[in-house]
Amino acid sequence: RKEVEQDPGPFNVPEGATVAFNCTYSNSASQSFFWYRQDCRKEPKLLMSVYSSGNEDGRFTAQLNRASQYISLLIRDSKLSDSATYLCVVNENTGGFKTIFGAGTRLFVKA
Amino acid sequence: NAGVTQTPKFRILKIGQSMTLQCTQDMNHNYMYWYRQDPGMGLKLIYYSVGAGITDKGEVPNGYNVSRSTTEDFPLRLELAAPSQTSVYFCASSRGDQPQHFGDGTRLSIL
């Protein structure tokens, strides 16, 4: 089992749609969680951190379920500019810590 | 707001040549990382450093070397370039287990 697994993509959605991505992680000692977005041929950029109580930033909502070891990202009212690859990132506690990036889920938002 | 700066942005090497990819950050982050990303694939960790004078191997260290003589700089050295090292290289930094900040990458082709 991969340490961090994401929904296989690509997701093709129309503008205005709501889309949800899930990500599972294998190490129950994982401490912190993030969503990044990566545009084609660009560097990954932090989208949002994921907190235990869930958190929202405009059209984006992130949730964490420690019992089931998954995190999710919900995008409401999709825009063309949301087209990108979304990376799930997990920090494991391994004495020091270890950051694991998921392989990413590709999103295409179409007019 | 420089953040993480990588140079060069593009480079073409011949097989067997050597080069150093430069990375510097001005955020006083203790952790620094080097990743490579092949087309359509996820990030793979090459080397990382938890502070000046300390480096450690990641997932794919073969063919690369690093040094960390200062907090700010984390150069990546390719000694004998091979076609398999054609990739996009990203440097990143973080303060402990906080989110990583990425440079905008070096696109390297080896012919």
Side-chain angles (χ1 to χ4, degrees), chain B residues 40-61:
Chain B
M41 305 297 286
L43 296 167
K44 292 186 179 178
L45 183 65
I46 305 171
Y47 271 95
Y48 67 99
S49 168
V50 301
I54 306 169
T55 62
D56 215 338
K57 296 178 181 178
E59 184 184 356
V60 290

Side-chain angles (χ1 to χ4, degrees), chain A residues 8-49:
Chain A
F11 282 52
N12 293 287
V13 303
E15 270 188 297
T18 295
V19 60
F21 303 139
N22 291 323
C23 168
T24 58
Y25 58 95
S26 60
N27 189 337
S28 60
S30 297
Q31 286 188 310
S32 50
F33 310 88
F34 312 98
W35 283 102
Y36 279 67
R37 73 171 275 165
Q38 185 174 24
D39 294 295
C40 189
R41 298 176 64 79
K42 299 286 190 180
E43 74 276 19
K45 291 184 178 177
L46 177 68
L47 179 64
M48 57 197 304
S49 301

Side-chain angles (χ1 to χ4, degrees), chain B residues 3 13 62 71-72 79 107 109:
Chain B
L13 282 183
N62 291 345
T71 299
E72 294 79 18
E79 290 293 349
R107 283 156 183 77
S109 293

Side-chain angles (χ1 to χ4, degrees), chain A residues 1-7 21-35 50-53 62-73 87-94 98-103:
Chain A
R1 181 183 173 188
K2 290 183 181 177
E3 293 170 296
V4 174
E5 289 198 76
Q6 295 189 236
D7 284 349
F21 303 139
N22 291 323
C23 168
T24 58
Y25 58 95
S26 60
N27 189 337
S28 60
S30 297
Q31 286 188 310
S32 50
F33 310 88
F34 312 98
W35 283 102
V50 186
Y51 303 117
S52 297
S53 56
Q63 295 201 315
L64 167 63
N65 185 320
R66 286 191 183 272
S68 301
Q69 294 180 207
Y70 79 81
I71 68 173
S72 64
L73 176 68
L87 308 176
C88 169
V89 182
V90 174
N91 279 344
E92 291 185 346
N93 182 355
T94 56
K98 176 181 170 185
T99 300
I100 303 169
F101 283 79

